């Protein structure tokens, strides 16, 4: 990877010639004017501001993005193209502030481009925007768009005294000599470029392999991003509007390659996905139907691990428009795999290797061949429920919530069914409540946060019931629950909850007994003897 630099004038020239371009997988220009002025001030003062990452190639991408508000001219085919992978905001800011060549679109906001240098400024940042950028005092302000515009630069300084003219000369000299650090690599290999993107992603820059794929080699009549948008729109009415392009890409890769490795996917011709896309679409749709009807997963927020959807898509994908229903026997095998994968957190932290193993076993299972799907070790004990805190983002919490849903819980006080679809579609922490109220336990000054907020102390209740319970101990709000023993026992059984919790308010005993009941259910679901 070559490392060099740009002078601002050279950077502007390359943009004007169409040699520097913005791939469509980059987001648009989002910097606000204040951030632009601080960035320009950093260049002026010689502060470090990071390098720009450029990918040089002779292969034009099928779709590109404008540089902020500016439509870029076509590049001379004799020259390679420099695509900006990281640093688009900086390049757009520099170009917009200093150039006088390209005009912005009519609907674009270009107020941020009219930045002025304040002469004799006492401010820490001598750059500012004026309310009226066309009428200003030339003895107080100098427009930066004249820095590299010699005729206007000379005209602006012609009638100034020596001190003011010298300030502007020094300003121009600083920007003329300023260097924009550049890292440039050259490659025509999709796999190599994908690896670079992945490394940038780890640094927090939002780049998307799917978007690269979409512009690299798909046909004019098949836009992968558009197809993914269609799938997302189809899923939205069913509570799965959150499905993102990264996950859909994994589902595609799972069906086409039997793998969720994006680097290998990069090497496929576009036709490989085009030819199988309807099969992929059916696989995703049937997977979500299975998650909802068999496992009460009404939202992706509560799917413990994303790769589960990729494996399910591989199983349900079919070339038939009306595939035959899956037998109950096969359903049970898939559910066993699901619960074991969740309780073992098999695909946590990526889990590409484990996912690919299961994808291979899914195909064996699907074809009626010997398989080991779900036959991996799962170490389950009460610690899963006692040592894991309730956090919506954790695999353990997502798995625990789905376990609770298997009990078809009844509201403590009303005795009515908890609306699982309503509660689980929201995927909001406010829908899940402490059995021993948090305020009550904190008032005892005996328990730490991790003990109070452990999974074993949570259940699914309506907000109405929870508001009635408030901060009362179980023995107190037991008086609000049905009085006959049979109904009471039926209610708490749906929560895998021991009766002693509502008698003596012994929190430690409650945790021990409830975690054992939860473990019993977890082993039943995972088919662990």
């Amino acid at each position: 990877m070559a490392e060099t630099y740009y002078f601002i004038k050279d950077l502007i020239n390359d943009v004007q010639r169409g040699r520097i371009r913005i791939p469509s997988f980059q987001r648009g220009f989002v910097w606000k004017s204040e951030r632009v002025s601080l960035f320009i001030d950093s260049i002026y003062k010689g502060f470090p501001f990071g390098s720009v990452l450029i990918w040089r190639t002779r292969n034009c991408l099928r779709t590109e993005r404008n540089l902020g508000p500016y439509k870029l001219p076509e590049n001379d085919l004799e020259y390679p193209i420099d695509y900006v992978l990281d640093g688009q905001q900086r390049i757009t800011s520099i170009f917009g502030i200093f150039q006088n060549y390209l005009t912005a679109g009519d609907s674009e906001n270009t107020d941020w481009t009219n930045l002025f240098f304040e002469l004799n400024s006492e401010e820490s940042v001598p750059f500012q925007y004026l309310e009226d950028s066309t009428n200003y005092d030339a003895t107080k302000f100098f427009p930066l768009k004249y820095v590299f515009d010699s005729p206007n630069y000379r005209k602006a300084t012609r009638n100034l005294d020596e001190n003011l003219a010298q300030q502007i000369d020094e300003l121009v000299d600083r920007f003329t000599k300023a260097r924009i650090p550049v890292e440039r690599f050259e490659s025509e290999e999709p796999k190599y470029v994908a690896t670079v993107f992945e490394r940038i992603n780890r640094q927090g820059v939002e780049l998307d392999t799917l978007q690269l794929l979409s512009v690299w080699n798909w046909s004019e009549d098949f836009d992968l991003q558009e197809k993914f948008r269609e799938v997302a729109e189809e899923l939205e009415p069913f509570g799965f509007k959150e499905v993102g392009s990264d996950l859909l890409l994994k589902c595609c890769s799972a069906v086409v390659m039997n793998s969720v490795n994006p680097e290998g996917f990069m090497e496929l011709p576009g036709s490989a996905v085009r030819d199988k896309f309807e099969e992929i679409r059916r696989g995703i749709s049937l997977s979500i139907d299975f998650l909802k009807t068999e496992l009460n997963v009404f939202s992706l927020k509560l799917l413990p691990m994303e790769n589960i959807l990729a494996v399910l898509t591989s199983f349900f994908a079919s070339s038939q428009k009306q595939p035959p229903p899956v037998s109950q026997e096969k359903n049970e095998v898939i559910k066993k795999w699901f619960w074991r994968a969740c309780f073992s957190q098999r695909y946590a932290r990526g889990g590409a290797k484990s996912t690919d193993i299961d994808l291979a076993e899914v195909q064996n299972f699907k074809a009626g061949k010997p398989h080991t799907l779900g036959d991996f070790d799962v170490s389950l004990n009460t610690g899963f429920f006692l040592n894991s805190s309730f956090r919506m983002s954790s695999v353990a919490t997502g798995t625990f919530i789905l376990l609770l849903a298997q009990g078809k819980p009844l509201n403590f006080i009303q005795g009515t069914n908890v609306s699982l679809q309503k509660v689980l579609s929201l995927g909001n922490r406010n829908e899940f409540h402490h059995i021993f109220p948090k305020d009550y336990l904190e008032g005892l000054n005996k328990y730490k946060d991790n003990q109070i907020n452990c999974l074993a102390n949570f259940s699914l209740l309506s907000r109405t019931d929870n508001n009635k319970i408030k901060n009362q101990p179980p023995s107190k709000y037991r008086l609000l629950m049905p009085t006959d023993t049979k109904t009471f026992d039926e209610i708490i059984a749906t929560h895998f909850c021991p009766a002693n919790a509502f008698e003596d308010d012994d929190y430690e005993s409650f945790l021990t007994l409830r975690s054992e009941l939860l473990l019993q259910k977890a082993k039943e679901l995972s088919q662990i003897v």
Side-chain angles (χ1 to χ4, degrees):
M1 183 177 289
E3 185 171 353
T4 180
Y5 58 86
Y6 265 118
F7 288 117
I8 293 177
K9 183 62 175 176
D10 295 334
L11 177 66
I12 292 172
N13 287 338
D14 276 3
V15 171
Q16 290 174 348
R17 294 169 183 164
R19 295 180 185 176
I20 294 178
R21 310 190 72 80
I22 309 299
S24 64
F25 50 78
Q26 286 276 31
R27 61 178 178 170
F29 182 68
V30 297
W31 275 12
K32 296 185 182 300
S33 57
E34 293 82 0
R35 188 165 183 182
V36 174
S37 63
L38 287 174
F39 170 60
I40 297 300
D41 184 63
S42 293
I43 299 176
Y44 173 72
K45 293 174 179 173
F47 293 165
F49 49 81
S51 60
V52 171
L53 179 61
I54 298 291
W55 164 38
R56 176 164 289 182
T57 177
R58 290 188 177 275
N59 288 326
C60 297
L61 297 179
R62 190 167 63 84
T63 57
E64 297 177 349
R65 182 183 289 278
N66 291 339
L67 181 74
Y70 304 105
K71 182 175 175 60
L72 298 174
E74 294 298 322
N75 180 49
D76 188 330
L77 296 178
E78 295 296 318
Y79 292 92
I81 296 172
D82 284 346
Y83 284 110
V84 180
L85 302 188
D86 186 22
Q88 180 207 171
Q89 308 296 317
R90 282 165 283 171
I91 288 179
T92 305
S93 297
I94 290 170
F95 186 78
I97 293 296
F98 293 108
Q99 72 92 31
N100 283 297
Y101 179 78
L102 297 181
T103 56
D106 294 337
S107 62
E108 300 286 354
N109 174 27
T110 56
D111 289 345
W112 61 271
T113 65
N114 297 312
L115 188 61
F116 288 79
F117 175 69
E118 184 180 9
L119 299 164
N120 293 322
S121 176
E122 296 181 358
E123 300 293 330
S124 59
V125 177
F127 301 96
Q128 63 173 282
Y129 292 93
L130 305 180
E131 290 187 9
D132 187 347
S133 61
T134 57
N135 297 307
Y136 58 90
D137 187 343
T139 65
K140 293 182 178 179
F141 298 100
F142 176 77
L144 293 189
K145 63 183 178 181
Y146 291 167
V147 167
F148 298 104
D149 184 345
S150 297
N152 279 311
Y153 166 37
R154 288 194 297 269
K155 182 179 178 181
T157 57
R158 183 178 302 152
N159 298 319
L160 296 180
D161 64 38
E162 186 175 346
N163 175 56
L164 295 179
Q166 187 174 348
Q167 288 184 48
I168 295 176
D169 288 343
E170 182 182 347
L171 171 85
V172 172
D173 185 62
R174 288 194 189 188
F175 283 121
T176 300
K177 294 179 178 178
R179 298 181 178 187
I180 312 302
V182 175
E183 291 182 86
R184 182 184 287 107
F185 74 94
E186 300 186 34
S187 176
E188 308 301 338
E189 293 294 328
K191 182 176 180 179
Y192 178 72
V193 178
T195 302
V196 173
F197 289 172
E198 183 183 18
R199 301 286 169 83
I200 296 173
N201 273 324
R202 291 177 183 174
Q203 297 171 20
V205 180
E206 295 183 3
L207 296 180
D208 191 338
T209 306
L210 160 70
Q211 293 170 322
L212 170 65
L213 281 166
S214 297
V215 295
W216 190 287
N217 60 358
W218 308 107
S219 71
E220 289 297 330
D221 59 351
F222 184 91
D223 185 329
L224 189 60
Q225 289 190 73
E226 182 58 35
K227 290 293 183 183
F228 276 15
R229 280 191 288 271
E230 290 175 6
V231 172
E233 288 173 2
E234 291 171 5
L235 300 180
E236 184 171 355
F238 302 100
F240 280 76
K241 65 180 179 181
E242 309 96 340
V243 63
S245 58
D246 286 343
L247 179 53
L248 291 175
L249 181 62
K250 286 183 179 180
C251 293
C252 283
S253 184
V255 174
V256 177
M257 293 182 53
N258 224 28
S259 171
V260 291
N261 183 349
E263 291 186 14
F265 197 57
M266 289 292 300
E267 297 181 337
L268 290 175
S271 59
V273 173
R274 293 197 297 272
D275 295 344
K276 279 187 171 285
F277 195 77
E278 289 308 310
E279 183 176 336
I280 295 165
R281 188 198 296 260
R282 276 189 287 274
I284 294 171
S285 178
L286 291 171
S287 297
I288 289 176
D289 184 62
F290 174 82
L291 288 170
K292 291 173 60 179
T293 57
E294 299 289 341
L295 297 162
N296 293 308
V297 181
F298 295 101
S299 167
L300 274 180
K301 292 178 182 177
L302 290 181
L303 185 65
M305 295 167 292
E306 282 194 343
N307 284 10
I308 285 173
L309 185 60
V311 177
L312 285 175
T313 299
S314 175
F315 174 72
F316 285 106
S318 174
S319 58
Q320 301 179 47
K321 289 185 177 181
Q322 295 291 336
V326 176
S327 68
Q328 186 59 36
E329 181 182 355
K330 285 191 172 183
N331 258 358
E332 291 304 315
V333 172
I334 292 295
K335 285 195 285 188
K336 170 189 170 183
W337 155 79
F338 173 87
W339 288 110
R340 284 174 167 245
C342 290
F343 281 115
S344 65
Q345 304 189 39
R346 183 165 174 79
Y347 310 138
R349 303 177 187 86
K353 183 176 180 181
S354 297
T355 307
D356 286 0
I357 291 172
D358 288 355
L359 284 169
E361 293 306 317
V362 156
Q363 290 306 309
N364 289 333
F365 172 57
K366 192 173 178 179
K369 299 178 181 178
H371 68 89
T372 59
L373 184 65
D375 292 345
F376 39 81
D377 291 334
V378 182
S379 178
L380 259 180
N381 55 53
T382 56
F384 184 92
F385 306 100
L386 295 173
N387 301 328
S388 302
S389 294
F390 192 96
R391 290 183 294 106
M392 292 300 296
S393 60
S394 73
V395 175
T397 299
T399 304
F400 169 69
I401 289 171
L402 296 179
L403 181 151
L404 292 180
Q406 300 305 304
K408 298 179 181 178
L410 301 173
N411 284 305
F412 275 2
I413 297 173
Q414 302 172 73
T416 55
N417 290 313
V418 174
S419 177
L420 291 178
Q421 181 161 358
K422 179 181 178 181
V423 170
L424 300 184
S425 293
L426 293 174
N428 189 318
R429 192 186 192 284
N430 293 330
E431 305 300 322
F432 309 99
H433 308 287
H434 296 80
I435 296 175
F436 273 69
K438 182 178 179 181
D439 288 346
Y440 165 71
L441 291 175
E442 288 178 339
L444 298 177
N445 294 318
K446 288 177 59 178
Y447 304 105
K448 297 180 180 178
D449 284 347
N450 63 322
Q451 293 173 292
I452 295 173
N453 296 310
C454 69
L455 297 180
N457 191 29
F458 278 82
S459 198
L460 287 165
L461 295 174
S462 70
R463 292 190 186 184
T464 302
D465 275 20
N466 190 60
N467 288 335
K468 291 178 180 178
I469 291 170
K470 294 184 178 178
N471 60 355
Q472 300 180 79
S475 65
K476 290 287 183 65
Y477 68 75
R478 167 68 178 92
L479 301 175
L480 302 173
M481 298 173 71
T483 55
D484 65 288
T485 304
K486 182 180 179 182
T487 304
F488 171 77
D489 288 344
E490 288 176 352
I491 290 174
I492 63 172
T494 65
H495 294 269
F496 313 107
C497 193
N500 80 311
F502 303 88
E503 296 171 359
D504 52 19
D505 296 334
D506 186 337
Y507 184 55
E508 293 173 31
S509 175
F510 160 75
L511 289 180
T512 299
L513 293 174
R514 189 169 193 241
S515 62
E516 289 173 353
L517 291 173
L518 291 168
L519 177 62
Q520 182 181 332
K521 184 62 178 179
K523 287 185 174 181
E524 175 191 323
L525 294 170
S526 303
Q527 299 182 33
I528 298 174
V529 180

